[in-house]
Amino acid sequence: MSELSTVAAQPSAITALRRASESGRVASSYLFEGPSGVGKELAATSWATDVIAAGDPRVIDRIEAGAHPDVRVFRPRDEGKRNIQVDVLRTEILPLAQFAPFEAAKTFFIFPEADVSFPEFQAEAANALLKTLEEPRPNVHFILTAERPEALLPTIRSRCQRLRFSPLPNEVLKQILEGHDVGSESIAAAVALSSGRADIALALAQEGSVDELTELAFSVDVAIARSGPGTLVDVAESLGRRDDVELALLALQRLYGDFALVGLGVDHARLAYPQRADEVRRRATVVGPTAAASRVSMIHQCVDAMRQNANRQVALDALVFGLRNAR
């Protein structure tokens, strides 16, 4: 069985990869782009496994153990801003490309979260990677994955064949959660808040944080509507102290998304918070669909700014006061 068959609900991308390997026209560089938790890295490693192992279980086992020299995965660093430093790239990674392939007919270098490892503002490392992509060796292939491809150098993006990965359908997310022995009482809410991302759904369900984040989202909205500047500063500081601040902001974003949907007359079953549909409708009437949509955009911009190393507290202060003033 093809390893690519384990990648769910990404038919366009998987079809393109299968056609490339079957025709022998594998590009030197690929950029798999889309939300986190939708199968980009799984598709990269599975495709590389299919090409290198050709179904040989012994080779598959070596690749899965990280012990095959022709399938290498280079993740962002665990410390600091997680960017791969140019010295590491030049001394530990790129020299390997000069001698590959080692055992197989092809070699794959896979960079999950390349937008984190090589953001445009880390120009030295990004340009070192770009030079390698511009001068590819035969049978050496690079796969970059990115949730925010715009964070990469435009020239890196232009050197890659780009494949889009979409949010996962609810039914697929439910199957993934059930496969991880998540309790049925947590699945519906985790799926609703996940925006089609399996990593978010698992974090919400397994950490038991769905109820707490739901309460947080509603309480922040109430504070924004009714509180003075001092309390708003406290709200922003409280958010800033959270290790899961992105999850908290996602929960709040989904709440404002519900407000906007209510303004469009969407059935409550399609809301992220269907169990609190009456409360959502009351608040949506006060906020209005235009302001709600504006707040969704503001939260997205805040998260994006923090990922680009903006000062977290300054970004959250601006967000909370911006949400208060949205019209």
Side-chain angles (χ1 to χ4, degrees):
M1 182 181 70
S2 166
E3 297 296 310
L4 270 179
S5 63
T6 63
V7 181
Q10 303 294 347
S12 297
I14 300 312
T15 296
L17 294 175
R18 282 182 170 145
R19 285 176 176 170
S21 53
E22 289 168 0
S23 66
R25 297 178 180 177
V26 179
S28 61
S29 305
Y30 289 85
L31 175 56
F32 293 1
E33 56 188 71
S36 66
V38 299
K40 300 189 301 297
E41 182 179 347
L42 176 61
T45 55
S46 296
W47 186 44
T49 300
D50 281 345
V51 173
I52 298 299
D56 186 330
R58 294 168 300 177
V59 178
I60 293 173
D61 288 344
R62 289 180 63 200
I63 293 173
E64 290 180 347
H68 197 292
D70 288 312
V71 180
R72 298 177 185 262
V73 180
F74 302 99
R75 305 182 188 281
R77 295 189 305 162
D78 291 331
E79 67 275 4
K81 297 178 180 178
R82 304 183 68 213
N83 314 134
I84 294 179
Q85 302 301 300
V86 66
D87 290 343
V88 173
L89 185 67
R90 286 174 173 165
T91 62
E92 299 180 20
I93 299 176
L94 295 183
L96 297 171
Q98 299 303 311
F99 300 99
F102 297 95
E103 294 182 12
K106 297 181 183 295
T107 290
F108 287 85
F109 291 84
I110 299 169
F111 292 89
E113 299 181 79
D115 48 334
V116 176
S117 295
F118 307 107
E120 187 172 4
F121 62 79
Q122 289 281 6
E124 197 172 7
N127 280 312
L129 176 65
L130 173 63
K131 184 176 180 180
T132 300
L133 298 182
E134 289 177 334
E135 302 172 358
R137 285 177 52 82
N139 299 315
V140 177
H141 307 279
F142 291 81
I143 303 177
L144 285 60
T145 80
E147 183 176 0
R148 299 173 299 112
E150 69 279 0
L152 295 165
L153 286 172
T155 41
I156 287 180
R157 301 198 301 267
S158 69
R159 292 298 305 177
C160 297
Q161 181 172 323
R162 301 172 70 171
L163 294 179
R164 181 70 186 174
F165 286 70
S166 303
L168 299 176
N170 286 352
E171 285 303 315
V172 171
L173 289 171
K174 290 177 183 177
Q175 292 170 10
I176 291 172
L177 293 179
E178 289 168 354
H180 284 78
D181 296 324
V182 172
S184 58
E185 69 281 356
S186 299
I187 289 180
V191 168
L193 291 177
S194 68
S195 296
R197 298 161 56 182
D199 56 341
I200 298 297
L202 284 166
L204 288 167
Q206 292 183 329
E207 295 170 8
S209 57
V210 172
D211 292 339
E212 190 267 335
L213 287 172
T214 297
E215 292 301 327
L216 174 69
F218 279 86
S219 66
V220 169
D221 174 61
V222 170
I224 288 169
R226 302 176 183 174
S227 302
T231 301
L232 294 181
V233 169
D234 291 341
V235 169
E237 290 180 349
S238 177
L239 288 171
R241 290 192 293 268
R242 297 183 68 100
D243 292 333
D244 63 347
V245 63
E246 284 198 26
L247 274 179
L249 292 178
L250 174 62
L252 184 61
Q253 185 180 47
R254 295 291 282 163
L255 178 60
Y256 289 127
D258 277 2
F259 290 178
L261 290 174
V262 166
L264 298 174
V266 170
D267 183 81
H268 81 274
R270 294 178 55 191
L271 302 178
Y273 299 97
Q275 74 280 16
R276 299 178 70 164
D278 291 342
E279 188 175 354
V280 168
R281 286 195 174 89
R282 286 196 300 271
R283 288 294 303 137
T285 301
V286 175
V287 175
T290 301
S294 178
R295 291 179 180 187
V296 169
S297 178
M298 287 179 183
I299 295 171
H300 175 80
Q301 292 169 13
C302 177
V303 171
D304 193 52
M306 290 191 296
R307 289 179 176 177
Q308 296 185 52
N309 298 309
N311 181 282
R312 174 187 286 197
Q313 198 57 59
V314 170
L316 291 169
D317 289 343
L319 172 65
V320 170
F321 281 89
L323 294 175
R324 174 66 177 271
N325 297 323
R327 296 289 184 270

